[in-house]
Amino acid sequence: MSAARPLALLRAIAVTATLPLLLTACGYGSESTDDGKQSEVAADAEKLSVDEVKLGYFPNLTHANALVGVQEGLLQKELGGTRIKSATFNAGPSEIEALNAGSIDIGWIGPSPSINGYTKSRGKNLRIIGGSASGGVKLVVNPKKIKSEDDLKGKRIATPQLGNTQDVAFLNWIAEKGWKVDAQSGKGDVSVVRTDNKVAPDAFTSGSIDGAWVPEPTASKLVAEGAEVLLDEADLWPDKKFVITNIIVSQKFLEEHPDVVEAVLRGSVKTNDWIRANPDRPRSPRTRPSRNCPARPCPRTSSTRPGSPSPSWTTRWPPPSTRRRSTR
């Protein structure tokens, strides 16, 4: 089987592969419990060309495709006897490092680090093979301190990590408004504070940050702590559609195990079909809630409109309205 076959499959399924984020904020990804664990496979399942495939993704709603696919066994079903070993990351740059080091073979990741990883290696280390989700990113703020976009000047706003997709999007949005911020230090008219998504709720309640440009479920967790949505990133995009999660693969793994890559892509599409058909399942009792969503659901703040961006959207990032400045 040639390495081109998974890519041909991708072109055939690209329109159906990307899932608008319509799930609630609590549920899959509220607590990461599968990090480093292997999936169970049927004793008589036939292996593909490798014993194990290492998957990487974030414990975020924007990575529901991977989270649900692993937990519900939808990816494993396509892989047969080839086991899944999964690892979770806070943001894209650290996942790119893991891919380059061989710690993962296939990953779910945002557009900025995936494109940066591709260009920095001159296309030798990774291949962007698909998209899995659209939307699900918001600017949420402390309403007592920030009532309009202009009030952001002088405030401390969190992003998940230097150079990750939300970080770059926020920096470009700031530049569009004519404000100055040093991309590396985060210092300027607005203080950009790189903060792990797991830490963001505590940082917000303690007053260390005044808001955050973050993906779900972090945005909804902050809303549960008293924040309000000031901006939905979807409003910056034509037809309110933008790809938030790409699927990438190690070039070496793609060349050596194209059958496994194809199986993961099939599983990704079937997982999105399953999510659409079972929109309430992520709220089922067997999904453990996070400490920020103890006995009640987090606010349902996702408002992404249905839409299925194609992989070509990755070449149109950042948003057209914020393209005047590039970072990193």
Side-chain angles (χ1 to χ4, degrees):
M1 187 186 299
S2 70
R5 186 177 173 191
L7 301 181
L9 171 68
L10 171 63
R11 294 187 187 99
I13 64 179
V15 174
T16 60
T18 307
L19 175 72
L21 293 176
L22 301 174
L23 305 177
T24 54
C26 291
Y28 297 104
S30 294
E31 293 281 353
S32 174
T33 58
D34 60 344
D35 199 7
K37 293 185 178 180
Q38 289 183 322
S39 60
E40 296 183 2
V41 300
D44 59 347
E46 183 178 352
K47 286 191 294 188
L48 300 180
S49 63
V50 69
D51 293 337
E52 177 184 89
V53 58
K54 295 167 288 189
L55 305 182
Y57 45 86
F58 309 166
N60 291 347
L61 195 63
T62 52
H63 289 222
N65 180 257
L67 292 160
V68 176
V70 170
Q71 181 167 319
E72 297 297 332
L74 299 167
L75 293 174
Q76 186 62 68
K77 183 177 180 180
E78 298 301 318
L79 288 163
T82 294
R83 293 181 180 275
I84 292 173
K85 183 176 181 180
S86 56
T88 56
F89 300 86
N90 173 63
S94 56
E95 184 174 316
I96 290 292
E97 291 177 4
L99 187 89
N100 290 339
S103 299
I104 63 170
D105 305 311
I106 299 174
W108 281 253
I109 194 169
S112 178
S114 58
I115 293 172
N116 283 343
Y118 182 87
T119 55
K120 285 182 178 180
S121 69
R122 298 183 180 179
K124 295 179 180 179
N125 289 352
L126 69 85
R127 177 71 64 87
I128 301 171
I129 55 174
S132 68
S134 171
V137 177
K138 295 179 178 65
L139 171 60
V140 295
V141 299
N142 183 337
K144 295 179 181 179
K145 298 181 178 180
I146 302 170
K147 300 184 183 302
S148 69
E149 294 178 1
D150 290 340
D151 293 336
L152 288 170
K153 290 193 73 172
K155 302 301 190 298
R156 295 169 58 86
I157 305 299
T159 63
Q161 186 177 0
L162 174 64
N164 98 305
T165 301
Q166 288 78 54
D167 186 64
V168 176
F170 185 44
L171 289 172
N172 276 274
W173 183 82
I174 288 172
E176 176 71 12
K177 296 189 73 66
W179 301 340
K180 304 294 184 182
V181 171
D182 179 76
Q184 292 296 319
S185 68
K187 296 179 180 179
D189 293 329
V190 179
S191 294
V192 182
V193 184
R194 279 72 186 221
T195 307
D196 190 303
N197 284 324
K198 296 189 295 292
V199 178
D202 286 339
F204 180 79
T205 56
S206 70
S208 298
I209 59 173
D210 303 310
W213 187 297
V214 286
E216 294 290 5
T218 306
S220 288
K221 289 179 179 180
L222 293 175
V223 169
E225 298 293 348
E228 292 185 359
V229 177
L230 185 66
L231 175 70
D232 186 330
E233 189 179 333
D235 292 334
L236 302 177
W237 290 84
D239 300 322
K240 300 183 183 296
K241 300 175 185 175
F242 69 103
V243 65
I244 186 57
T245 307
N246 293 135
I247 303 175
I248 61 173
V249 62
S250 157
Q251 287 277 26
K252 183 175 183 292
F253 191 85
L254 174 60
E255 292 169 1
E256 296 178 354
H257 307 290
D259 57 330
V260 178
V261 176
E262 180 174 340
V264 171
L265 286 172
R266 277 200 313 270
S268 171
V269 175
K270 291 182 179 180
T271 297
N272 277 351
D273 289 341
W274 187 94
I275 292 173
R276 291 187 183 97
N278 299 274
D280 293 330
R281 283 290 293 278
R283 290 181 288 171
S284 65
R286 70 191 186 91
T287 302
R288 185 158 58 96
S290 73
R291 63 177 180 78
N292 288 308
C293 305
R296 52 176 170 66
C298 285
R300 191 183 182 103
T301 65
S302 291
S303 59
T304 309
R305 286 76 172 174
S308 300
S310 70
S312 64
W313 278 43
T314 61
T315 63
R316 297 177 58 198
W317 199 92
S321 64
T322 62
R323 271 191 223 154
R324 275 190 255 164
R325 175 185 178 184
S326 60
T327 61
R328 297 198 76 199

